[in-house]
Amino acid sequence: MKKTFLVLAISAAAMAALPVFAQDSQTSPAAGGGNFQPSQPIGSGNWFINGSVGQAHMRVGPYDGHPTTYALNGGYRWKVGQDLGLGVEVGYNDLGNFRLKNVFNSNDVNLTSQRQALRGWTAGANGKINVWQGLYVSGRTGIYGWKGDGYSNQDINRHHLDRVDYFAGAGVGYDFSEHFGLGLAYDYYHAKKDHIGLSTDTASLTAEYRF
């Protein structure tokens, strides 16, 4: 519960701080200038797509690990200030059901399935502000339609579960140009049903391309 409130607070603070940063950047010619000049006027926006690879912390019954996570998102972000963007997004993630074997040895590389982690669709809102020369902070939150497998207390049988819950996250990164940026993000995915908790938090590297 404490982790849930923490990530929601971080995400809310990042989203709430965006208009403040945007106002400062508009009143100060040196703030948020970046190393490139936007080709689009203030008030316009762009479509974007981003992919993430990271690591999760999860505990499902007897399984306690840090599997590799994958996510793909896309959406549209409006420019509502000189350096401020607010948008909507949809995406899909897998929080540890698959992993690559033999990447660092001479055996054949293959993808294995474990089916012990969450996977599902996300839909929500996001915000982003360029705070200084391409450096940005971001926040996102929304609903999470997940599927997962878990164990209830003192139950040796694995249960197949699905539900719509929520997610929230915050991040920092750097835009190398108008179209491309890299960032680090922390996200929390709440998942609980029938007294079985599958909630997972992730730390990931994200690459974004804007059209």
Side-chain angles (χ1 to χ4, degrees), residues 7 10-11 50-57 69 71 73 89 127 136-140 167-174 182-189 201-208:
V7 71
I10 293 174
S11 179
N50 60 55
S52 302
V53 177
Q55 189 176 73
H57 175 248
T69 66
N73 296 281
E89 64 176 60
Y136 68 82
V137 295
S138 62
R140 59 193 294 260
F167 73 93
V172 297
Y174 185 81
L182 288 175
L184 297 174
Y186 172 81
D187 295 285
Y188 174 80
Y189 298 90
D201 56 309
T202 67
S204 59
L205 174 67
T206 299
E208 180 177 277

PDB file of all heavy atoms in Angstrom, residues 7 10-11 50-57 69 71 73 89 127 136-140 167-174 182-189 201-208:
ATOM      1  N   VAL A   7       4.192   5.854  -5.599  1.00  0.00           N
ATOM      2  CA  VAL A   7       4.284   6.031  -7.046  1.00  0.00           C
ATOM      3  C   VAL A   7       3.187   6.958  -7.551  1.00  0.00           C
ATOM      4  O   VAL A   7       3.396   7.760  -8.472  1.00  0.00           O
ATOM      5  CB  VAL A   7       4.232   4.672  -7.779  1.00  0.00           C
ATOM      6  CG1 VAL A   7       2.856   4.053  -7.709  1.00  0.00           C
ATOM      7  CG2 VAL A   7       4.683   4.822  -9.226  1.00  0.00           C
ATOM      8  N   ILE A  10       4.411  10.469  -6.750  1.00  0.00           N
ATOM      9  CA  ILE A  10       5.464  10.897  -7.670  1.00  0.00           C
ATOM     10  C   ILE A  10       4.875  11.281  -9.016  1.00  0.00           C
ATOM     11  O   ILE A  10       5.202  12.316  -9.603  1.00  0.00           O
ATOM     12  CB  ILE A  10       6.522   9.791  -7.838  1.00  0.00           C
ATOM     13  CG1 ILE A  10       7.274   9.574  -6.526  1.00  0.00           C
ATOM     14  CG2 ILE A  10       7.500  10.145  -8.951  1.00  0.00           C
ATOM     15  CD1 ILE A  10       8.222   8.406  -6.568  1.00  0.00           C
ATOM     16  N   SER A  11       3.979  10.430  -9.525  1.00  0.00           N
ATOM     17  CA  SER A  11       3.358  10.708 -10.818  1.00  0.00           C
ATOM     18  C   SER A  11       2.516  11.966 -10.766  1.00  0.00           C
ATOM     19  O   SER A  11       2.576  12.810 -11.663  1.00  0.00           O
ATOM     20  CB  SER A  11       2.489   9.520 -11.235  1.00  0.00           C
ATOM     21  OG  SER A  11       1.875   9.771 -12.467  1.00  0.00           O
ATOM     22  N   ASN A  50       6.799   4.715 -28.487  1.00  0.00           N
ATOM     23  CA  ASN A  50       7.971   4.438 -27.671  1.00  0.00           C
ATOM     24  C   ASN A  50       8.000   2.977 -27.251  1.00  0.00           C
ATOM     25  O   ASN A  50       6.955   2.311 -27.143  1.00  0.00           O
ATOM     26  CB  ASN A  50       8.054   5.367 -26.450  1.00  0.00           C
ATOM     27  CG  ASN A  50       6.860   5.252 -25.532  1.00  0.00           C
ATOM     28  OD1 ASN A  50       6.508   4.170 -25.066  1.00  0.00           O
ATOM     29  ND2 ASN A  50       6.217   6.387 -25.260  1.00  0.00           N
ATOM     30  N   GLY A  51       9.207   2.480 -27.048  1.00  0.00           N
ATOM     31  CA  GLY A  51       9.419   1.115 -26.593  1.00  0.00           C
ATOM     32  C   GLY A  51      10.312   1.110 -25.366  1.00  0.00           C
ATOM     33  O   GLY A  51      11.211   1.943 -25.241  1.00  0.00           O
ATOM     34  N   SER A  52      10.053   0.175 -24.460  1.00  0.00           N
ATOM     35  CA  SER A  52      10.795   0.112 -23.206  1.00  0.00           C
ATOM     36  C   SER A  52      11.276  -1.301 -22.927  1.00  0.00           C
ATOM     37  O   SER A  52      10.582  -2.282 -23.219  1.00  0.00           O
ATOM     38  CB  SER A  52       9.915   0.572 -22.029  1.00  0.00           C
ATOM     39  OG  SER A  52       9.440   1.874 -22.219  1.00  0.00           O
ATOM     40  N   VAL A  53      12.469  -1.385 -22.346  1.00  0.00           N
ATOM     41  CA  VAL A  53      13.014  -2.640 -21.844  1.00  0.00           C
ATOM     42  C   VAL A  53      13.522  -2.365 -20.437  1.00  0.00           C
ATOM     43  O   VAL A  53      14.204  -1.365 -20.204  1.00  0.00           O
ATOM     44  CB  VAL A  53      14.165  -3.168 -22.724  1.00  0.00           C
ATOM     45  CG1 VAL A  53      14.759  -4.429 -22.119  1.00  0.00           C
ATOM     46  CG2 VAL A  53      13.682  -3.427 -24.133  1.00  0.00           C
ATOM     47  N   GLY A  54      13.176  -3.219 -19.495  1.00  0.00           N
ATOM     48  CA  GLY A  54      13.588  -2.957 -18.121  1.00  0.00           C
ATOM     49  C   GLY A  54      13.567  -4.193 -17.250  1.00  0.00           C
ATOM     50  O   GLY A  54      13.616  -5.323 -17.738  1.00  0.00           O
ATOM     51  N   GLN A  55      13.453  -3.936 -15.967  1.00  0.00           N
ATOM     52  CA  GLN A  55      13.458  -5.014 -14.984  1.00  0.00           C
ATOM     53  C   GLN A  55      12.329  -4.783 -13.993  1.00  0.00           C
ATOM     54  O   GLN A  55      12.087  -3.652 -13.559  1.00  0.00           O
ATOM     55  CB  GLN A  55      14.797  -5.074 -14.255  1.00  0.00           C
ATOM     56  CG  GLN A  55      14.964  -6.293 -13.366  1.00  0.00           C
ATOM     57  CD  GLN A  55      16.358  -6.336 -12.745  1.00  0.00           C
ATOM     58  OE1 GLN A  55      16.676  -5.567 -11.859  1.00  0.00           O
ATOM     59  NE2 GLN A  55      17.182  -7.253 -13.222  1.00  0.00           N
ATOM     60  N   ALA A  56      11.657  -5.859 -13.624  1.00  0.00           N
ATOM     61  CA  ALA A  56      10.543  -5.777 -12.687  1.00  0.00           C
ATOM     62  C   ALA A  56      10.936  -6.346 -11.337  1.00  0.00           C
ATOM     63  O   ALA A  56      11.883  -7.135 -11.211  1.00  0.00           O
ATOM     64  CB  ALA A  56       9.341  -6.542 -13.237  1.00  0.00           C
ATOM     65  N   HIS A  57      10.201  -5.933 -10.325  1.00  0.00           N
ATOM     66  CA  HIS A  57      10.271  -6.592  -9.023  1.00  0.00           C
ATOM     67  C   HIS A  57       8.898  -7.169  -8.752  1.00  0.00           C
ATOM     68  O   HIS A  57       7.905  -6.445  -8.663  1.00  0.00           O
ATOM     69  CB  HIS A  57      10.649  -5.621  -7.913  1.00  0.00           C
ATOM     70  CG  HIS A  57      10.611  -6.275  -6.560  1.00  0.00           C
ATOM     71  ND1 HIS A  57       9.690  -5.945  -5.608  1.00  0.00           N
ATOM     72  CD2 HIS A  57      11.379  -7.265  -6.027  1.00  0.00           C
ATOM     73  CE1 HIS A  57       9.887  -6.695  -4.529  1.00  0.00           C
ATOM     74  NE2 HIS A  57      10.886  -7.504  -4.765  1.00  0.00           N
ATOM     75  N   THR A  69      11.368  -6.943 -18.558  1.00  0.00           N
ATOM     76  CA  THR A  69      10.063  -6.465 -19.004  1.00  0.00           C
ATOM     77  C   THR A  69      10.175  -5.798 -20.368  1.00  0.00           C
ATOM     78  O   THR A  69      11.221  -5.266 -20.739  1.00  0.00           O
ATOM     79  CB  THR A  69       9.479  -5.457 -18.004  1.00  0.00           C
ATOM     80  OG1 THR A  69      10.295  -4.269 -17.989  1.00  0.00           O
ATOM     81  CG2 THR A  69       9.442  -6.039 -16.599  1.00  0.00           C
ATOM     82  N   ALA A  71       7.697  -3.265 -23.179  1.00  0.00           N
ATOM     83  CA  ALA A  71       6.483  -2.473 -23.352  1.00  0.00           C
ATOM     84  C   ALA A  71       6.553  -1.682 -24.650  1.00  0.00           C
ATOM     85  O   ALA A  71       7.628  -1.251 -25.076  1.00  0.00           O
ATOM     86  CB  ALA A  71       6.286  -1.522 -22.174  1.00  0.00           C
ATOM     87  N   ASN A  73       4.244   1.519 -26.553  1.00  0.00           N
ATOM     88  CA  ASN A  73       3.168   2.503 -26.400  1.00  0.00           C
ATOM     89  C   ASN A  73       3.131   3.445 -27.600  1.00  0.00           C
ATOM     90  O   ASN A  73       4.149   3.687 -28.241  1.00  0.00           O
ATOM     91  CB  ASN A  73       3.374   3.345 -25.134  1.00  0.00           C
ATOM     92  CG  ASN A  73       3.298   2.534 -23.870  1.00  0.00           C
ATOM     93  OD1 ASN A  73       2.218   2.200 -23.393  1.00  0.00           O
ATOM     94  ND2 ASN A  73       4.454   2.197 -23.311  1.00  0.00           N
ATOM     95  N   GLU A  89      -2.337   8.025 -24.497  1.00  0.00           N
ATOM     96  CA  GLU A  89      -1.553   6.904 -24.999  1.00  0.00           C
ATOM     97  C   GLU A  89      -2.268   5.582 -24.779  1.00  0.00           C
ATOM     98  O   GLU A  89      -3.124   5.459 -23.896  1.00  0.00           O
ATOM     99  CB  GLU A  89      -0.194   6.838 -24.290  1.00  0.00           C
ATOM    100  CG  GLU A  89      -0.306   6.573 -22.793  1.00  0.00           C
ATOM    101  CD  GLU A  89       1.049   6.416 -22.126  1.00  0.00           C
ATOM    102  OE1 GLU A  89       1.850   7.374 -22.176  1.00  0.00           O
ATOM    103  OE2 GLU A  89       1.303   5.338 -21.567  1.00  0.00           O
ATOM    104  N   GLY A 127       2.260  13.337 -19.484  1.00  0.00           N
ATOM    105  CA  GLY A 127       2.722  14.710 -19.558  1.00  0.00           C
ATOM    106  C   GLY A 127       4.234  14.761 -19.618  1.00  0.00           C
ATOM    107  O   GLY A 127       4.922  13.875 -19.108  1.00  0.00           O
ATOM    108  N   TYR A 136      14.249  16.436 -19.803  1.00  0.00           N
ATOM    109  CA  TYR A 136      12.825  16.498 -19.505  1.00  0.00           C
ATOM    110  C   TYR A 136      12.447  15.623 -18.309  1.00  0.00           C
ATOM    111  O   TYR A 136      13.182  14.710 -17.928  1.00  0.00           O
ATOM    112  CB  TYR A 136      11.993  16.068 -20.723  1.00  0.00           C
ATOM    113  CG  TYR A 136      12.110  14.608 -21.090  1.00  0.00           C
ATOM    114  CD1 TYR A 136      11.368  13.624 -20.432  1.00  0.00           C
ATOM    115  CD2 TYR A 136      12.962  14.187 -22.117  1.00  0.00           C
ATOM    116  CE1 TYR A 136      11.466  12.285 -20.760  1.00  0.00           C
ATOM    117  CE2 TYR A 136      13.064  12.856 -22.469  1.00  0.00           C
ATOM    118  CZ  TYR A 136      12.318  11.907 -21.783  1.00  0.00           C
ATOM    119  OH  TYR A 136      12.433  10.583 -22.121  1.00  0.00           O
ATOM    120  N   VAL A 137      11.303  15.931 -17.730  1.00  0.00           N
ATOM    121  CA  VAL A 137      10.662  15.070 -16.736  1.00  0.00           C
ATOM    122  C   VAL A 137       9.295  14.693 -17.291  1.00  0.00           C
ATOM    123  O   VAL A 137       8.702  15.428 -18.094  1.00  0.00           O
ATOM    124  CB  VAL A 137      10.519  15.763 -15.362  1.00  0.00           C
ATOM    125  CG1 VAL A 137      11.879  16.051 -14.766  1.00  0.00           C
ATOM    126  CG2 VAL A 137       9.704  17.047 -15.475  1.00  0.00           C
ATOM    127  N   SER A 138       8.777  13.545 -16.875  1.00  0.00           N
ATOM    128  CA  SER A 138       7.516  13.059 -17.421  1.00  0.00           C
ATOM    129  C   SER A 138       6.706  12.346 -16.351  1.00  0.00           C
ATOM    130  O   SER A 138       7.236  11.924 -15.321  1.00  0.00           O
ATOM    131  CB  SER A 138       7.772  12.105 -18.604  1.00  0.00           C
ATOM    132  OG  SER A 138       8.490  10.963 -18.170  1.00  0.00           O
ATOM    133  N   GLY A 139       5.430  12.205 -16.621  1.00  0.00           N
ATOM    134  CA  GLY A 139       4.530  11.471 -15.748  1.00  0.00           C
ATOM    135  C   GLY A 139       3.445  10.815 -16.569  1.00  0.00           C
ATOM    136  O   GLY A 139       3.087  11.305 -17.651  1.00  0.00           O
ATOM    137  N   ARG A 140       2.915   9.700 -16.086  1.00  0.00           N
ATOM    138  CA  ARG A 140       1.848   9.000 -16.806  1.00  0.00           C
ATOM    139  C   ARG A 140       0.977   8.232 -15.823  1.00  0.00           C
ATOM    140  O   ARG A 140       1.443   7.813 -14.759  1.00  0.00           O
ATOM    141  CB  ARG A 140       2.433   8.038 -17.855  1.00  0.00           C
ATOM    142  CG  ARG A 140       3.353   6.985 -17.298  1.00  0.00           C
ATOM    143  CD  ARG A 140       4.146   6.271 -18.382  1.00  0.00           C
ATOM    144  NE  ARG A 140       3.331   5.477 -19.270  1.00  0.00           N
ATOM    145  CZ  ARG A 140       3.190   4.146 -19.159  1.00  0.00           C
ATOM    146  NH1 ARG A 140       3.814   3.480 -18.182  1.00  0.00           N
ATOM    147  NH2 ARG A 140       2.448   3.481 -20.003  1.00  0.00           N
ATOM    148  N   PHE A 167      -2.363   1.997 -13.415  1.00  0.00           N
ATOM    149  CA  PHE A 167      -0.911   2.117 -13.397  1.00  0.00           C
ATOM    150  C   PHE A 167      -0.549   3.581 -13.225  1.00  0.00           C
ATOM    151  O   PHE A 167      -1.356   4.485 -13.487  1.00  0.00           O
ATOM    152  CB  PHE A 167      -0.281   1.564 -14.684  1.00  0.00           C
ATOM    153  CG  PHE A 167      -0.491   2.446 -15.888  1.00  0.00           C
ATOM    154  CD1 PHE A 167       0.457   3.414 -16.240  1.00  0.00           C
ATOM    155  CD2 PHE A 167      -1.630   2.329 -16.674  1.00  0.00           C
ATOM    156  CE1 PHE A 167       0.273   4.228 -17.347  1.00  0.00           C
ATOM    157  CE2 PHE A 167      -1.829   3.145 -17.780  1.00  0.00           C
ATOM    158  CZ  PHE A 167      -0.879   4.095 -18.114  1.00  0.00           C
ATOM    159  N   ALA A 168       0.681   3.839 -12.791  1.00  0.00           N
ATOM    160  CA  ALA A 168       1.185   5.204 -12.670  1.00  0.00           C
ATOM    161  C   ALA A 168       2.701   5.154 -12.730  1.00  0.00           C
ATOM    162  O   ALA A 168       3.325   4.147 -12.365  1.00  0.00           O
ATOM    163  CB  ALA A 168       0.726   5.853 -11.362  1.00  0.00           C
ATOM    164  N   GLY A 169       3.308   6.239 -13.209  1.00  0.00           N
ATOM    165  CA  GLY A 169       4.760   6.258 -13.314  1.00  0.00           C
ATOM    166  C   GLY A 169       5.308   7.647 -13.522  1.00  0.00           C
ATOM    167  O   GLY A 169       4.576   8.607 -13.779  1.00  0.00           O
ATOM    168  N   ALA A 170       6.622   7.760 -13.402  1.00  0.00           N
ATOM    169  CA  ALA A 170       7.326   9.021 -13.605  1.00  0.00           C
ATOM    170  C   ALA A 170       8.691   8.711 -14.204  1.00  0.00           C
ATOM    171  O   ALA A 170       9.218   7.594 -14.072  1.00  0.00           O
ATOM    172  CB  ALA A 170       7.470   9.784 -12.295  1.00  0.00           C
ATOM    173  N   GLY A 171       9.291   9.713 -14.875  1.00  0.00           N
ATOM    174  CA  GLY A 171      10.578   9.472 -15.494  1.00  0.00           C
ATOM    175  C   GLY A 171      11.335  10.749 -15.795  1.00  0.00           C
ATOM    176  O   GLY A 171      10.816  11.858 -15.650  1.00  0.00           O
ATOM    177  N   VAL A 172      12.578  10.555 -16.210  1.00  0.00           N
ATOM    178  CA  VAL A 172      13.440  11.643 -16.665  1.00  0.00           C
ATOM    179  C   VAL A 172      14.141  11.173 -17.932  1.00  0.00           C
ATOM    180  O   VAL A 172      14.269   9.973 -18.172  1.00  0.00           O
ATOM    181  CB  VAL A 172      14.492  12.049 -15.606  1.00  0.00           C
ATOM    182  CG1 VAL A 172      13.819  12.587 -14.355  1.00  0.00           C
ATOM    183  CG2 VAL A 172      15.401  10.865 -15.253  1.00  0.00           C
ATOM    184  N   GLY A 173      14.589  12.116 -18.759  1.00  0.00           N
ATOM    185  CA  GLY A 173      15.275  11.723 -19.974  1.00  0.00           C
ATOM    186  C   GLY A 173      15.851  12.898 -20.713  1.00  0.00           C
ATOM    187  O   GLY A 173      15.856  14.037 -20.219  1.00  0.00           O
ATOM    188  N   TYR A 174      16.315  12.623 -21.928  1.00  0.00           N
ATOM    189  CA  TYR A 174      16.941  13.657 -22.749  1.00  0.00           C
ATOM    190  C   TYR A 174      16.479  13.500 -24.192  1.00  0.00           C
ATOM    191  O   TYR A 174      16.508  12.393 -24.764  1.00  0.00           O
ATOM    192  CB  TYR A 174      18.461  13.541 -22.682  1.00  0.00           C
ATOM    193  CG  TYR A 174      19.178  14.663 -23.408  1.00  0.00           C
ATOM    194  CD1 TYR A 174      19.344  15.903 -22.803  1.00  0.00           C
ATOM    195  CD2 TYR A 174      19.658  14.482 -24.705  1.00  0.00           C
ATOM    196  CE1 TYR A 174      19.984  16.941 -23.463  1.00  0.00           C
ATOM    197  CE2 TYR A 174      20.302  15.513 -25.371  1.00  0.00           C
ATOM    198  CZ  TYR A 174      20.461  16.742 -24.739  1.00  0.00           C
ATOM    199  OH  TYR A 174      21.087  17.766 -25.395  1.00  0.00           O
ATOM    200  N   LEU A 182      15.671   9.574 -25.267  1.00  0.00           N
ATOM    201  CA  LEU A 182      15.874   8.414 -24.404  1.00  0.00           C
ATOM    202  C   LEU A 182      15.583   8.808 -22.963  1.00  0.00           C
ATOM    203  O   LEU A 182      15.889   9.933 -22.546  1.00  0.00           O
ATOM    204  CB  LEU A 182      17.307   7.899 -24.506  1.00  0.00           C
ATOM    205  CG  LEU A 182      17.725   7.181 -25.785  1.00  0.00           C
ATOM    206  CD1 LEU A 182      19.216   6.852 -25.733  1.00  0.00           C
ATOM    207  CD2 LEU A 182      16.914   5.899 -25.988  1.00  0.00           C
ATOM    208  N   GLY A 183      15.013   7.881 -22.193  1.00  0.00           N
ATOM    209  CA  GLY A 183      14.688   8.206 -20.819  1.00  0.00           C
ATOM    210  C   GLY A 183      14.717   7.003 -19.900  1.00  0.00           C
ATOM    211  O   GLY A 183      14.752   5.850 -20.348  1.00  0.00           O
ATOM    212  N   LEU A 184      14.713   7.280 -18.597  1.00  0.00           N
ATOM    213  CA  LEU A 184      14.598   6.264 -17.555  1.00  0.00           C
ATOM    214  C   LEU A 184      13.270   6.477 -16.845  1.00  0.00           C
ATOM    215  O   LEU A 184      12.897   7.615 -16.535  1.00  0.00           O
ATOM    216  CB  LEU A 184      15.751   6.380 -16.562  1.00  0.00           C
ATOM    217  CG  LEU A 184      17.156   6.138 -17.117  1.00  0.00           C
ATOM    218  CD1 LEU A 184      18.207   6.435 -16.049  1.00  0.00           C
ATOM    219  CD2 LEU A 184      17.299   4.693 -17.605  1.00  0.00           C
ATOM    220  N   ALA A 185      12.559   5.385 -16.570  1.00  0.00           N
ATOM    221  CA  ALA A 185      11.225   5.508 -15.984  1.00  0.00           C
ATOM    222  C   ALA A 185      11.012   4.478 -14.890  1.00  0.00           C
ATOM    223  O   ALA A 185      11.571   3.372 -14.919  1.00  0.00           O
ATOM    224  CB  ALA A 185      10.161   5.343 -17.064  1.00  0.00           C
ATOM    225  N   TYR A 186      10.181   4.870 -13.925  1.00  0.00           N
ATOM    226  CA  TYR A 186       9.712   3.950 -12.892  1.00  0.00           C
ATOM    227  C   TYR A 186       8.197   3.898 -12.990  1.00  0.00           C
ATOM    228  O   TYR A 186       7.530   4.934 -12.987  1.00  0.00           O
ATOM    229  CB  TYR A 186      10.125   4.428 -11.501  1.00  0.00           C
ATOM    230  CG  TYR A 186       9.495   3.620 -10.382  1.00  0.00           C
ATOM    231  CD1 TYR A 186      10.032   2.395 -10.003  1.00  0.00           C
ATOM    232  CD2 TYR A 186       8.354   4.067  -9.734  1.00  0.00           C
ATOM    233  CE1 TYR A 186       9.455   1.639  -8.998  1.00  0.00           C
ATOM    234  CE2 TYR A 186       7.767   3.311  -8.727  1.00  0.00           C
ATOM    235  CZ  TYR A 186       8.325   2.103  -8.354  1.00  0.00           C
ATOM    236  OH  TYR A 186       7.739   1.354  -7.366  1.00  0.00           O
ATOM    237  N   ASP A 187       7.641   2.677 -13.094  1.00  0.00           N
ATOM    238  CA  ASP A 187       6.200   2.501 -13.220  1.00  0.00           C
ATOM    239  C   ASP A 187       5.698   1.471 -12.221  1.00  0.00           C
ATOM    240  O   ASP A 187       6.394   0.486 -11.911  1.00  0.00           O
ATOM    241  CB  ASP A 187       5.830   2.045 -14.636  1.00  0.00           C
ATOM    242  CG  ASP A 187       6.142   3.087 -15.681  1.00  0.00           C
ATOM    243  OD1 ASP A 187       5.384   4.071 -15.764  1.00  0.00           O
ATOM    244  OD2 ASP A 187       7.138   2.931 -16.405  1.00  0.00           O
ATOM    245  N   TYR A 188       4.482   1.691 -11.747  1.00  0.00           N
ATOM    246  CA  TYR A 188       3.836   0.761 -10.835  1.00  0.00           C
ATOM    247  C   TYR A 188       2.529   0.295 -11.458  1.00  0.00           C
ATOM    248  O   TYR A 188       1.716   1.108 -11.909  1.00  0.00           O
ATOM    249  CB  TYR A 188       3.549   1.437  -9.496  1.00  0.00           C
ATOM    250  CG  TYR A 188       2.752   0.572  -8.542  1.00  0.00           C
ATOM    251  CD1 TYR A 188       3.377  -0.430  -7.807  1.00  0.00           C
ATOM    252  CD2 TYR A 188       1.378   0.757  -8.396  1.00  0.00           C
ATOM    253  CE1 TYR A 188       2.646  -1.237  -6.944  1.00  0.00           C
ATOM    254  CE2 TYR A 188       0.644  -0.044  -7.529  1.00  0.00           C
ATOM    255  CZ  TYR A 188       1.286  -1.031  -6.806  1.00  0.00           C
ATOM    256  OH  TYR A 188       0.560  -1.832  -5.962  1.00  0.00           O
ATOM    257  N   TYR A 189       2.328  -1.039 -11.502  1.00  0.00           N
ATOM    258  CA  TYR A 189       1.129  -1.634 -12.073  1.00  0.00           C
ATOM    259  C   TYR A 189       0.384  -2.378 -10.970  1.00  0.00           C
ATOM    260  O   TYR A 189       0.873  -3.375 -10.448  1.00  0.00           O
ATOM    261  CB  TYR A 189       1.508  -2.588 -13.214  1.00  0.00           C
ATOM    262  CG  TYR A 189       2.208  -1.897 -14.353  1.00  0.00           C
ATOM    263  CD1 TYR A 189       3.598  -1.780 -14.373  1.00  0.00           C
ATOM    264  CD2 TYR A 189       1.485  -1.331 -15.393  1.00  0.00           C
ATOM    265  CE1 TYR A 189       4.252  -1.129 -15.406  1.00  0.00           C
ATOM    266  CE2 TYR A 189       2.131  -0.677 -16.440  1.00  0.00           C
ATOM    267  CZ  TYR A 189       3.501  -0.584 -16.435  1.00  0.00           C
ATOM    268  OH  TYR A 189       4.143   0.067 -17.457  1.00  0.00           O
ATOM    269  N   ASP A 201       6.246  -3.486  -9.863  1.00  0.00           N
ATOM    270  CA  ASP A 201       6.869  -2.212 -10.221  1.00  0.00           C
ATOM    271  C   ASP A 201       8.061  -2.478 -11.122  1.00  0.00           C
ATOM    272  O   ASP A 201       8.711  -3.521 -11.021  1.00  0.00           O
ATOM    273  CB  ASP A 201       7.273  -1.407  -8.991  1.00  0.00           C
ATOM    274  CG  ASP A 201       8.195  -2.172  -8.076  1.00  0.00           C
ATOM    275  OD1 ASP A 201       7.865  -3.317  -7.721  1.00  0.00           O
ATOM    276  OD2 ASP A 201       9.259  -1.641  -7.718  1.00  0.00           O
ATOM    277  N   THR A 202       8.337  -1.540 -12.028  1.00  0.00           N
ATOM    278  CA  THR A 202       9.383  -1.732 -13.024  1.00  0.00           C
ATOM    279  C   THR A 202      10.268  -0.494 -13.125  1.00  0.00           C
ATOM    280  O   THR A 202       9.826   0.623 -12.903  1.00  0.00           O
ATOM    281  CB  THR A 202       8.780  -2.006 -14.418  1.00  0.00           C
ATOM    282  OG1 THR A 202       8.106  -0.832 -14.890  1.00  0.00           O
ATOM    283  CG2 THR A 202       7.796  -3.164 -14.378  1.00  0.00           C
ATOM    284  N   ALA A 203      11.524  -0.733 -13.474  1.00  0.00           N
ATOM    285  CA  ALA A 203      12.465   0.325 -13.843  1.00  0.00           C
ATOM    286  C   ALA A 203      12.922   0.010 -15.260  1.00  0.00           C
ATOM    287  O   ALA A 203      13.335  -1.119 -15.553  1.00  0.00           O
ATOM    288  CB  ALA A 203      13.652   0.358 -12.889  1.00  0.00           C
ATOM    289  N   SER A 204      12.844   0.990 -16.164  1.00  0.00           N
ATOM    290  CA  SER A 204      13.089   0.676 -17.566  1.00  0.00           C
ATOM    291  C   SER A 204      13.766   1.818 -18.311  1.00  0.00           C
ATOM    292  O   SER A 204      13.732   2.976 -17.901  1.00  0.00           O
ATOM    293  CB  SER A 204      11.761   0.336 -18.266  1.00  0.00           C
ATOM    294  OG  SER A 204      10.857   1.416 -18.168  1.00  0.00           O
ATOM    295  N   LEU A 205      14.372   1.451 -19.439  1.00  0.00           N
ATOM    296  CA  LEU A 205      14.946   2.382 -20.393  1.00  0.00           C
ATOM    297  C   LEU A 205      13.973   2.515 -21.550  1.00  0.00           C
ATOM    298  O   LEU A 205      13.528   1.510 -22.113  1.00  0.00           O
ATOM    299  CB  LEU A 205      16.293   1.878 -20.892  1.00  0.00           C
ATOM    300  CG  LEU A 205      16.958   2.683 -22.023  1.00  0.00           C
ATOM    301  CD1 LEU A 205      17.352   4.064 -21.518  1.00  0.00           C
ATOM    302  CD2 LEU A 205      18.175   1.939 -22.566  1.00  0.00           C
ATOM    303  N   THR A 206      13.637   3.759 -21.906  1.00  0.00           N
ATOM    304  CA  THR A 206      12.620   4.008 -22.932  1.00  0.00           C
ATOM    305  C   THR A 206      13.184   4.840 -24.068  1.00  0.00           C
ATOM    306  O   THR A 206      13.861   5.844 -23.837  1.00  0.00           O
ATOM    307  CB  THR A 206      11.412   4.746 -22.329  1.00  0.00           C
ATOM    308  OG1 THR A 206      10.822   3.937 -21.312  1.00  0.00           O
ATOM    309  CG2 THR A 206      10.366   5.034 -23.386  1.00  0.00           C
ATOM    310  N   ALA A 207      12.913   4.404 -25.284  1.00  0.00           N
ATOM    311  CA  ALA A 207      13.262   5.170 -26.474  1.00  0.00           C
ATOM    312  C   ALA A 207      11.986   5.630 -27.142  1.00  0.00           C
ATOM    313  O   ALA A 207      11.066   4.832 -27.358  1.00  0.00           O
ATOM    314  CB  ALA A 207      14.082   4.320 -27.446  1.00  0.00           C
ATOM    315  N   GLU A 208      11.903   6.924 -27.477  1.00  0.00           N
ATOM    316  CA  GLU A 208      10.683   7.478 -28.071  1.00  0.00           C
ATOM    317  C   GLU A 208      10.986   8.157 -29.401  1.00  0.00           C
ATOM    318  O   GLU A 208      11.956   8.896 -29.520  1.00  0.00           O
ATOM    319  CB  GLU A 208      10.030   8.480 -27.125  1.00  0.00           C
ATOM    320  CG  GLU A 208       8.751   9.101 -27.699  1.00  0.00           C
ATOM    321  CD  GLU A 208       8.080  10.048 -26.723  1.00  0.00           C
ATOM    322  OE1 GLU A 208       7.338   9.550 -25.849  1.00  0.00           O
ATOM    323  OE2 GLU A 208       8.295  11.271 -26.819  1.00  0.00           O
TER     324      GLU A 208
END
